[in-house]
Amino acid sequence: MADWFNSLTLLQQIYLIIAAPSTIILLLQTILLLAGVGGGDADADAGDMPETDAGGGDGLALFSIRGIMAFLCVGGWSGMAIAGSGMPAAGAVILSAACGFLALLSMAYLMKLALKLQSSGNIDIKNAIGKIGEVYIPIPASKGGSGKINIIVQETYMEVSAATREPTTIKTREMVRVTDTEGAGLVIVERLTDKDKA
């Protein structure tokens, strides 16, 4: 294994170091999602990164943890292959970045479709009121934006956009209660108190 690694060019070695861990993380996230865990535990360390919505609530959420892992995974493996084909380093970097960006867009689009399927089914988001969930992407204070929570509604494990009226940001892995809904797919949450947890 060490001989094979040493036989690679420096650029290929860098791409391999990027691609291998991101592939493992992406596979773990997928397995956790299929098992009903939703990937919250796998994303805990990087979950403090805000998710950016391009174009509002119906836009593509590009910079999710899954999207970034897809970018690194596909960009890394394609870069390793392209660098091995003899293409100049600058061209390999540009082409691999383009492949990674296409993967990031694809992941964002797939997540958007999945959320649409959840919201267009027979699940009524109003049934989330009173339910307790776990923060997946931090929720900005005083309705200054939205984050994400993982919650079970009508026996379905869901990732839902959430906002809060709390004066401080609610961080990843904090437990919250849904108090209200706004529009399609957005819930209003409050932080659980120590009394609620007891």
Side-chain angles (χ1 to χ4, degrees):
M1 185 73 171
D3 291 339
W4 173 76
F5 183 80
N6 290 331
S7 70
L8 300 174
T9 66
L10 177 61
L11 188 58
Q12 285 180 302
Q13 290 175 349
I14 291 169
Y15 275 125
L16 180 62
I17 291 168
I18 292 170
S22 58
T23 301
I24 292 168
I25 292 169
L26 194 59
L27 286 173
L28 285 173
Q29 286 179 324
T30 304
I31 291 166
L32 289 170
L33 185 65
L34 293 174
V37 177
D41 291 338
D43 289 339
D45 292 335
D48 292 335
M49 180 178 294
E51 183 155 326
T52 303
D53 248 0
D58 293 329
L60 295 179
L62 289 180
F63 297 109
S64 66
I65 304 303
R66 289 183 189 99
I68 292 169
M69 287 301 110
F71 174 85
L72 294 174
C73 175
V74 173
W77 289 120
S78 61
M80 189 175 162
I82 294 165
S85 70
M87 180 178 280
V93 169
I94 291 169
L95 201 53
S96 65
C99 290
F101 188 70
L102 285 175
L104 184 137
L105 282 176
S106 300
M107 181 65 72
Y109 185 70
L110 287 173
M111 293 307 294
K112 180 181 175 182
L113 287 180
L115 291 174
K116 271 190 177 177
L117 287 175
Q118 286 178 342
S119 62
S120 65
N122 57 2
I123 294 175
D124 184 357
I125 198 66
K126 290 184 180 178
N127 290 327
I129 295 174
K131 304 279 186 191
I132 294 173
E134 182 179 3
V135 177
Y136 168 59
I137 293 176
I139 305 169
S142 306
K143 293 184 76 175
S146 66
K148 299 271 186 182
I149 63 168
N150 291 323
I151 192 168
I152 297 174
V153 181
Q154 293 175 222
E155 300 180 8
T156 302
Y157 189 86
M158 302 174 65
E159 184 179 284
V160 182
S161 294
T164 186
R165 296 181 181 96
E166 298 269 339
T168 57
T169 298
I170 303 177
K171 296 181 180 174
T172 300
R173 303 198 80 177
E174 284 194 65
M175 303 305 290
V176 293
R177 177 183 286 112
V178 177
T179 59
D180 200 359
T181 62
E182 272 188 19
L186 179 70
V187 298
I188 306 299
V189 299
E190 65 182 8
R191 187 180 273 113
L192 286 188
T193 64
D194 291 336
K195 183 181 177 182
D196 292 325
K197 297 174 185 175

